[in-house]
Amino acid sequence: MATSALPVQDIEPVGAGSLGVHPVVGTSPLDERLFDEYLPNSRGVKPCYEIIDGVIYMMASPKFWHQRVFSEMFFQLKQQLASHGCEVMQAPFDVYLFWEEGDKKNYVEPDLFITCDQEQIKRLRASEQDYYHGAPKFIVEILSPGHESHDLVLKAQLYYRAGVTEYWAVDPLGRTIHIFTLPEDGVEYRIKILEAQDTIPLASFPGCAVDFNAIFQDEQKE
């Protein structure tokens, strides 16, 4: 997979210049001791954070609409994929995107992701201490106010580099979805922005879709 940055000229992220999730070590690479001593000892009780290119980003607590969309999407996808041997995983769950390249210091906490990799599923079911290794085929991030550019730019670039086939960035307040899909040539993400209404299919999982009318139905009745 090419390592060049994702072209982002077609994206107009809200709040550019303010990631909303804040680096706690500036932009310098992490001290080796942080990985070798502090982070392993804080597993299980650590606050929610991600490490991207050597920078720790603390994650803010989610709000109502984030959790509403999160839970509804998980429920719909879980129902549709239950008979296909796939797993719909939900945050917090560490994903080491570049594990196969020996990079164990870059990991993210996607809101949702789908895996049908039976070897990974078997390994995860057998261990309470392990994490996902590699790039899932499909990832969802749900935007929160002030966090938009973290997901629309920084993580979109990261997922492109990792070879994530399909990435949805859902904006519950703006009622929009940025859909990033990686074509077979892998040159760059194709990006489209849709309104979060009606039923939207997953390109990477034919026959699977998300009904956004069902997610926002209570608001539509008001």
Side-chain angles (χ1 to χ4, degrees), residues 185-204:
D185 59 25
V187 173
E188 62 182 25
Y189 266 146
R190 293 175 181 169
I191 307 166
K192 59 182 177 181
I193 304 174
L194 303 178
E195 293 186 3
Q197 60 185 18
D198 300 323
T199 299
I200 299 178
L202 279 64
S204 53

Side-chain angles (χ1 to χ4, degrees), residues 44-66:
V45 295
K46 70 177 179 68
C48 192
Y49 58 77
E50 301 176 312
I51 301 178
I52 300 175
D53 294 330
V55 178
I56 295 179
Y57 293 90
M58 303 303 297
M59 311 301 290
S61 299
K63 303 301 187 290
F64 173 81
W65 276 111
H66 180 287

Side-chain angles (χ1 to χ4, degrees), residues 60-121:
S61 299
K63 303 301 187 290
F64 173 81
W65 276 111
H66 180 287
Q67 293 303 86
R68 172 66 180 269
V69 174
F70 172 83
S71 59
E72 290 287 341
M73 287 189 70
F74 173 80
F75 177 75
Q76 290 188 30
L77 294 171
K78 187 74 172 176
Q79 280 194 318
Q80 295 175 70
L81 293 168
S83 61
H84 292 75
C86 301
E87 290 285 348
V88 183
M89 305 299 294
Q90 54 188 317
F93 195 91
D94 296 353
V95 174
Y96 288 80
L97 293 166
F98 305 104
W99 182 273
E100 297 300 326
E101 290 85 351
D103 180 356
K104 302 176 183 179
K105 299 180 180 179
N106 242 318
Y107 68 80
V108 291
E109 305 258 359
D111 285 313
L112 297 169
F113 70 91
I114 297 173
T115 180
C116 299
D117 185 330
Q118 295 305 309
E119 290 187 8
Q120 290 241 37
I121 292 172

